Amino acid sequence: MKNRSIARVAAVGLTLMFTMGCAALAADRPAFQARMLEAFDAAEARQGVAIDARYFYAASNFAITKHDRRTGEQVGEWRGRSAGDPLIHLDSLVAHEGKLYASHSNYPEWPMTSSVEIWNAETMEHIETHSFGIYRGSFTWLDRHDGSWWGAFANYDKVQAGQAAAYGNTDSTQVVKMNDEFAVIESWILPREILDRFRPMSNSGGSWGPDGFLYLTGHDHGEAYVMRLPHAGSVLEWVATVQVPVMEGQGIAWDRSGNAPHLWAIVKKDRKVLKIEMPSIKPL
């Protein structure tokens, strides 16, 4: 109970640190505010988080730790980065049917390559891989929704060290729908206003909410952009923005375990995992 009490105190402290410094995006899109419930220390909370009925999982570039979702106590881990290890930049995680799925890329190397990496969530053993090779960009998030896999291939305006051109250009970022073999069957781009908010980085996280909306995050801002598929064309429809206390973008995950439908996120600089109460979205 001590760890849980500390987590609640930390949550209160972090909430008090939150300021309304987020720039207005567009007057015709409703804006909502989220409320942080708990915060847990997790040293590997650098890239993303996954959640299931009993545990949360925090990911850094080349490690994943497994934690009791009630207390935050670490109960398992996987660590890469041994000599010659090909896994160098994990991004978002999602827990699905006893497995952990991670988006992975060779960021910031060129040319961009990406893969899906899979672990047994009980043993934390790496068990499967699917390579995209050189494809649409850096694969930054993965989610399961409505019988399909979903994700994003990010591109960046940032010029990486040792490179002479932008790392793919943010405008080329794509959200994709995939079949069970991770073959892309549809893809969409993002509205210019959201891309401008991402620059010079890109779309870092995504998770489908229980309300049927897709929630996207960037690399830096404490904002989640509520999206839906368009009735026509190739640009996702921007429904609303949720301002999320303290969160700095990165990977997110909705809790689909049968517990309350909370959003889980991270604070990269503080290495914390957040449990967040999200507002009910009623778009205009």
Side-chain angles (χ1 to χ4, degrees), residues 234-270:
S234 300
V235 182
L236 289 181
E237 182 180 344
W238 175 25
V239 175
T241 300
V242 179
Q243 296 170 341
V244 184
V246 182
M247 184 189 78
E248 299 172 323
Q250 304 295 329
I252 58 175
W254 277 97
D255 185 356
R256 305 184 182 117
S257 65
N259 295 285
H262 296 130
L263 185 72
W264 290 67
I266 67 168
V267 186
K268 183 174 183 176
K269 71 176 186 299
D270 295 330

Side-chain angles (χ1 to χ4, degrees), residues 7-268:
R8 290 187 181 278
V9 170
V12 171
L14 287 171
T15 301
L16 291 174
M17 291 165 54
F18 178 57
T19 63
M20 295 299 293
C22 303
L25 292 172
D28 60 342
R29 301 307 196 289
F32 300 84
Q33 292 187 35
R35 183 172 70 95
M36 187 167 60
L37 300 175
E38 295 187 82
F40 301 94
D41 290 325
E44 302 304 329
R46 303 283 290 169
Q47 294 293 343
V49 61
I51 182 72
D52 63 23
R54 295 182 61 191
Y55 305 102
F56 69 79
Y57 308 81
S60 64
N61 284 348
F62 41 83
I64 304 172
T65 51
K66 178 179 180 178
H67 303 256
D68 185 294
R69 61 175 287 155
R70 296 175 298 109
T71 66
E73 178 185 1
Q74 183 177 322
V75 297
E77 66 178 11
W78 172 87
R79 293 193 177 275
R81 204 63 170 195
S82 58
D85 195 321
L87 300 185
I88 61 172
H89 196 278
L90 301 177
D91 287 290
S92 293
L93 296 172
V94 63
H96 178 65
E97 295 184 348
K99 296 179 181 179
L100 285 179
Y101 295 78
S103 52
H104 172 262
S105 71
N106 67 339
Y107 182 92
E109 300 299 321
W110 185 267
M112 298 181 192
T113 64
S114 298
S115 63
V116 176
E117 304 299 333
I118 308 170
W119 285 260
N120 180 311
E122 180 178 357
T123 65
M124 297 302 289
E125 175 189 6
H126 182 268
I127 55 174
E128 297 178 57
T129 184
H130 172 87
S131 175
F132 292 109
I134 300 171
Y135 198 37
R136 301 171 181 238
S138 289
F139 194 50
T140 53
W141 64 264
L142 179 68
D143 196 23
R144 185 75 177 179
H145 170 69
D146 197 24
S148 298
W149 290 107
W150 301 74
F153 287 93
N155 289 272
Y156 305 82
D157 285 348
K158 184 176 181 180
V159 178
Q160 304 290 354
Q163 299 174 16
Y167 196 64
N169 297 306
T170 301
D171 287 345
S172 297
T173 297
Q174 298 177 54
V175 170
V176 299
K177 178 181 179 180
M178 298 169 286
N179 64 18
D180 287 342
E181 287 72 47
F182 302 108
V184 172
I185 53 179
E186 287 190 88
S187 62
W188 298 266
I189 63 172
L190 301 175
R192 175 56 59 89
E193 298 95 331
I194 292 178
L195 291 171
D196 288 345
R197 192 69 174 149
F198 287 162
R199 298 183 203 278
M201 303 304 284
S202 191
N203 175 206
S204 293
S207 186
W208 283 93
D211 52 13
F213 293 125
L214 174 61
Y215 288 70
L216 300 180
T217 51
H219 188 269
D220 306 294
H221 299 299
E223 300 166 349
Y225 309 102
V226 186
M227 315 297 293
R228 62 184 166 201
L229 301 182
H231 296 295
S234 300
V235 182
L236 289 181
E237 182 180 344
W238 175 25
V239 175
T241 300
V242 179
Q243 296 170 341
V244 184
V246 182
M247 184 189 78
E248 299 172 323
Q250 304 295 329
I252 58 175
W254 277 97
D255 185 356
R256 305 184 182 117
S257 65
N259 295 285
H262 296 130
L263 185 72
W264 290 67
I266 67 168
V267 186
K268 183 174 183 176

